[in-house]
């Protein structure tokens, strides 16, 4: 914190934040849990809206739009994948032009518009094919190109809103806490777990209340509720305008990254000096990042050479970059192997809202006179997340704190290296649980198929309890609790300070690519194992397919990925920094001639 003068009075202010007027943020009047709670509120409604659509969309596409199961699954995964891929766009706009506050407000309005349009699309009979029983031959007609086109417009408006919104919500929430204040730093640590708790709470409401309304009352009513919830969330979010802390944009992080890469390429034939202190550094001491040993090629961007300075002592950023700028790019580069090896988890997650829901539609779902909606089976998925978070917060963390003297740290020996796991271990646990979940899913599907063959492949409801699906939902749900919080913590805390929104978008692209990988695998498996009659592993009628083999394939791919992840986790470790010296001025004609 810093001292500031306002109205002739001296008061404390948060060093790197301003209030809504642009003045230094007063910690007694801005930030803290109250505005952070408003941010959590809009995330709650976003999850309620997005998951209320996604978890039950496959049943609408198969049952109402009369699309094949594999096609329907791919539409859902493409929709979710695009939603998270657009987080990169939202992060770029927030960091470069709009700031997080405006980005959240604008894209939340876009999502509200999309959900409202979807409610109208599902209401109008002209925008869906006739029921099978109303056709002359009692056969099912697939939705026309026009009908699907209008549906796609509504879905991808929602995807655009979700992408822009999610990239900034977590970052704007953490902006409400001062990392330099020990009390607020502790509160920010708990914000991460509360953030994911609200995500899970929104999902829980979606898969229970909203799915029931969609199935038993009306799709349009269910989607209308999503739109109203988002509109109310925007009003509540805007009400906190005067209480928020705002961080100033530091420019486009993508441009900064390319500047370092271009400068390093231009100087690729130059030799690095033996003394790190000869590299250029103009960053103030308090904000400086010291030199590390990885990615030596990038260090060449900080070599001072003739022509690097254009006017006076100002360097051309495309020719000369500071050591701190280079180290920021290195920090991003170190994230990428972990980023790549967590994608497969979200591929397994995609099966929980597509094929697993379709499995549920063929199984006995009645409890007395009440029939559980197929999409509501994901309640066990969300319950697993909430239970896992509660056990982790209330049991595991206190035990670790008592054992090690600080929360959330456990040490594991791999290849004789000691890795302190806060976020990396949680991600590893999530990957392991997803493997076990897919193995359980394969076994349950084998049982379901054996029953289908015994009673007849055309039987609408098989005499096998839907509760057999609970293990796969629970295991993958528990895995999500670990991997999501681990990824969120990892990508925010291990990224450069000015690139946190972009790194959040990078994290969310693992979800996006996971869904796209699912679509790709479905297409490949469908082509390799399928037949003209709609057979193969992923047959149009899943009773005639071999979904168990598809789940087994995912389990094998996940095991291979886990091995690679562990190698990357060992590689990702803090490097002992070497301090450099600051070069405030540059004398024309001088350069770093000392070489190794």
């Amino acid at each position: 914190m810093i001292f500031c003068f306002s109205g002739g009075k001296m008061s404390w202010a948060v060093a790197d934040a301003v209030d809504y007027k642009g003045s230094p943020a007063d910690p007694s009047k801005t930030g803290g849990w109250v505005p952070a709670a408003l941010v959590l509120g809009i995330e709650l409604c976003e999850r309620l809206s997005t998951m209320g659509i996604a978890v039950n969309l496959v049943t609408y596409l198969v049952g109402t739009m009369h699309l094949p199961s594999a096609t329907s699954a791919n539409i859902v995964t493409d929709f979710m994948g695009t939603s998270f891929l657009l987080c990169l766009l939202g992060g770029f706009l927030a960091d470069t032009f709009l700031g997080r506050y405006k980005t959240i407000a604008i894209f939340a309005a876009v999502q509200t518009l999309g959900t409202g349009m979807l409610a109208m699309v599902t209401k109008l009979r002209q925008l869906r094919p006739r029921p099978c029983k109303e056709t002359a031959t009692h056969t099912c007609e697939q939705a026309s190109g026009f009908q699907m086109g209008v549906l796609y417009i509504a879905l991808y408006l929602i995807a655009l809103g979700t992408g822009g919104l999610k990239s900034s919500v977590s970052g704007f929430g953490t902006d409400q806490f001062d990392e330099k204040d020990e009390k607020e730093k502790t509160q920010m640590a708990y914000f991460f777990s509360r953030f994911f708790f609200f995500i899970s709470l929104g999902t829980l409401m979606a898969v229970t209340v909203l799915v029931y309304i969609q199935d038993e009352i009306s799709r349009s009513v269910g989607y209308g509720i999503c739109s109203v919830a988002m509109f109310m969330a925007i009003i509540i979010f805007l009400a906190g305008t005067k209480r928020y802390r705002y961080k100033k944009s530091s420019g486009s992080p993508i441009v900064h990254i390319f500047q370092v890469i271009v400068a390093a390429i231009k100087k690729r034939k130059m030799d690095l000096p033996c003394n790190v202190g000869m590299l250029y550094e103009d960053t103030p001491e308090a904000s400086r990042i010291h030199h590390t040993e990885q990615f030596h090629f990038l260090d060449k961007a900080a070599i001072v050479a003739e022509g690097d300075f254009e006017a006076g002592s100002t360097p051309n950023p495309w020719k000369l970059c500071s050591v701190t700028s280079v180290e920021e790019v290195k920090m991003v580069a170190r994230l990428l192997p972990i980023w790549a090896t967590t994608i497969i988890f979200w591929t397994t997650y995609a099966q929980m809202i597509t094929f697993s829901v379709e499995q549920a539609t063929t199984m006995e779902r009645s409890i007395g006179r009440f029939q559980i909606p197929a999409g509501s089976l994901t309640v066990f998925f969300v319950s697993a997340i909430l239970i896992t978070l509660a056990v982790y917060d209330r049991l595991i963390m206190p035990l670790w704190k008592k054992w090690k003297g600080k929360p959330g740290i456990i040490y594991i020996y791999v290849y004789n290296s000691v890795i302190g796991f806060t976020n990396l271990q949680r991600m590893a646990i999530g990957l392991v649980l997803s493997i076990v979940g897919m193995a359980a899913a394969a076994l349950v599907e084998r049982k379901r198929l054996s029953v289908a063959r015994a009673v007849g492949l055309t039987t609408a409801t098989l005499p096998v309890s839907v509760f057999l699906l609970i293990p796969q939902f629970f295991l993958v749900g528990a895995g999500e609790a670990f991997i999501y919080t681990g990824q969120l913590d990892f990508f925010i805390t291990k990224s450069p300070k000015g690139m946190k929104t972009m790194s959040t978008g990078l994290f969310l692209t693992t979800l996006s690519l996971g869904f796209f990988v699912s679509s790709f695998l479905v297409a490949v498996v469908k082509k390799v194992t399928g037949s003209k009659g709609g057979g193969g592993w992923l047959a149009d009628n899943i009773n005639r397919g071999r979904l168990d083999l598809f789940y087994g394939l995912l389990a094998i791919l996940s095991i291979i990925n886990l091995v690679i992840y562990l190698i990357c986790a060992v590689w990702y470790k803090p490097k002992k920094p070497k301090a450099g010296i600051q070069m405030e001025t540059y004398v024309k004609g001088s350069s770093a001639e000392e070489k190794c």
Side-chain angles (χ1 to χ4, degrees), residues 427-437 562:
M427 287 186 271
I429 293 172
L431 292 173
V432 170
L433 288 172
S434 71
I435 294 170
V436 180
L562 176 63

Side-chain angles (χ1 to χ4, degrees), residues 400 424-434 478-479 482-483 565:
W400 279 350
L424 290 178
Q425 187 189 23
R426 277 178 279 171
M427 287 186 271
I429 293 172
L431 292 173
V432 170
L433 288 172
S434 71
F482 280 105
I483 201 165
Y565 170 83

Side-chain angles (χ1 to χ4, degrees), residues 261-270 297 316 318-319:
I261 294 173
V262 169
I265 291 174
K266 287 180 178 178
K267 297 177 179 177
R268 63 188 179 277
K269 295 182 180 180
M270 298 182 68
F297 170 76
N316 182 336
W318 294 96
K319 294 181 179 179

Side-chain angles (χ1 to χ4, degrees), residues 69 445-446 448-450 452-453 457 526 529 534-550:
S69 60
E445 176 60 8
R446 181 164 293 187
R448 194 193 68 82
L449 286 174
S450 68
R453 295 188 189 101
L457 299 178
K526 183 80 173 172
T529 68
W537 288 9
L538 304 175
D540 293 344
N541 180 347
I542 64 169
N543 289 344
R544 301 180 185 275
R546 292 301 305 271
L547 189 57
D548 58 325
L549 297 180
F550 181 68

Side-chain angles (χ1 to χ4, degrees), residues 92-151:
F92 173 76
L93 292 175
D95 283 337
T96 310
F97 302 109
L98 300 175
R100 292 168 185 162
Y101 170 79
K102 289 181 181 178
T103 302
I104 292 172
I106 291 170
F107 285 97
V110 172
Q111 183 167 357
T112 304
L113 178 64
T115 50
M117 182 177 177
L118 186 61
M120 293 197 318
V121 167
T122 53
K123 178 68 174 177
L124 298 174
R125 287 180 60 88
Q126 297 90 333
L127 296 178
R128 60 180 185 269
R130 291 180 295 171
C132 302
K133 62 183 180 181
E134 292 184 8
T135 61
T137 58
H138 293 280
T139 56
C140 299
E141 298 175 355
Q142 286 193 24
S144 67
F146 173 74
Q147 290 168 336
M148 290 304 300
V150 176
L151 178 63

